[in-house]
Amino acid sequence: MDTIRVTITEEQPLFRQGIRSTLEEMGRCMILGESINVEEVLDMARLGDPDVAIIDSSLTTADPLEIARQMRHLAPKVAVIILTHTDDEEFLFQAIKVGAAAYYSRNITKEELVEAVSRVSIGEYLINDDVLSKPQLASRVLKSFRELAAEEEDTETKDLYSPLSGREVEILDYIAKGNSNKEIAKSLKISDQTVKNHITSILKKLSVNDRTAAVVHALRHGWIKMGDAE
């Protein structure tokens, strides 16, 4: 297995040490460094080319979301995990906008942290689980992505040809409106497993890892459209 290169930006020494110890026990992680100094953190991104960056949402030395944004600019492949004290939808929305891959309470267990680091390091966006569990937030996020897509001047991203079947586009449209697999199955009068099979096909065809990424891809290419979010 490939080594996962990790940076840690956490203010509390004891909690920071716990993160380090947990990841070192994985046997796959290389800790590139720990710091709450912005310049040092950005240097780690610039020079260390990390796979995963763990960032404390309650930093007092700097804006954690701005750190995340700049890290992703300097190291585009880095997956950012935000650890937070509160279940704040506005902060979650902003975390999505800067491209965070996962968003967890600081009550996260060792097992959850290990799984999160492993999954985001291979390109999964676990933050979408939070989004899809909150319909109003999902609507807001997708509206934001739709507006970004509309503002893009690069016409090459607009491709009327879709590799998806009509049924797959229909299912994506339901997903875009925040429907669960069970709700989609009920609406289309098909089985839950058939919905899952279609979603697996969609993700494979679009080379994405999750439902929300598939919706965003389809919106950007004009294959589905959404009405205004409430």
Side-chain angles (χ1 to χ4, degrees):
M1 290 187 178
D2 294 337
T3 298
I4 303 173
R5 302 160 69 84
V6 182
T7 65
I8 303 171
T9 304
E10 163 59 50
E11 218 160 48
Q12 295 185 18
L14 187 60
F15 197 80
R16 183 170 65 243
Q17 182 56 47
I19 293 173
R20 172 183 275 273
S21 297
T22 296
L23 297 184
E24 287 178 340
E25 287 172 9
M26 282 178 67
R28 294 180 54 204
C29 285
M30 174 190 298
I31 308 301
L32 296 177
E34 307 169 6
S35 182
I36 56 173
N37 177 278
V38 175
E39 291 305 319
E40 291 178 0
V41 172
L42 297 182
D43 278 345
M44 285 190 284
R46 186 183 298 109
L47 304 175
D49 193 26
D51 300 301
V52 179
I54 299 173
I55 301 177
D56 175 10
S57 73
S58 57
L59 289 176
T60 59
T61 55
D63 178 351
L65 294 177
E66 180 60 19
I67 289 177
R69 187 189 68 78
Q70 292 192 46
M71 287 192 78
R72 296 199 72 250
H73 175 72
L74 294 169
K77 75 172 186 176
V78 69
V80 175
I81 297 176
I82 302 285
L83 298 181
T84 180
H85 288 277
T86 61
D87 184 19
D88 183 335
E89 279 200 8
E90 178 60 30
F91 193 92
L92 173 55
F93 177 69
Q94 297 301 328
I96 293 164
K97 287 182 68 175
V98 300
Y103 185 88
Y104 281 93
S105 161
R106 289 168 67 85
N107 292 327
I108 187 172
T109 65
K110 292 173 64 173
E111 293 75 19
E112 287 171 335
L113 180 61
V114 166
E115 181 182 9
V117 169
S118 296
R119 291 176 65 184
V120 301
S121 73
I122 58 173
E124 292 189 43
Y125 277 76
L126 308 183
I127 201 165
N128 293 325
D129 296 339
D130 297 284
V131 175
L132 293 171
S133 70
K134 300 178 173 67
Q136 287 186 333
L137 180 60
S139 178
R140 183 181 177 193
V141 168
L142 291 169
K143 179 182 178 182
S144 176
F145 278 120
R146 188 182 69 247
E147 289 170 348
L148 283 173
E151 291 171 1
E152 284 185 346
E153 296 181 356
D154 183 2
T155 56
E156 292 182 1
T157 64
K158 300 298 181 185
D159 181 2
L160 295 180
Y161 167 74
S162 168
L164 306 180
S165 68
R167 176 64 93 185
E168 288 167 346
V169 170
E170 188 176 19
I171 286 174
L172 261 188
D173 192 49
Y174 274 99
I175 293 172
K177 294 170 183 171
N179 290 275
S180 66
N181 288 4
K182 188 175 292 295
E183 290 168 334
I184 295 170
K186 183 177 179 181
S187 296
L188 297 179
K189 296 181 172 56
I190 57 180
S191 70
D192 289 3
Q193 186 58 51
T194 299
V195 174
K196 290 178 183 177
N197 292 343
H198 279 306
I199 292 175
T200 297
S201 174
I202 290 167
L203 301 186
K204 183 176 181 180
K205 286 180 179 180
L206 300 185
S207 298
V208 295
N209 294 302
D210 54 74
R211 293 157 51 111
T212 301
V215 169
V216 170
H217 189 95
L219 285 168
R220 285 185 178 276
H221 287 76
W223 301 334
I224 63 173
K225 298 182 183 299
M226 291 179 59
D228 289 339
E230 297 296 331

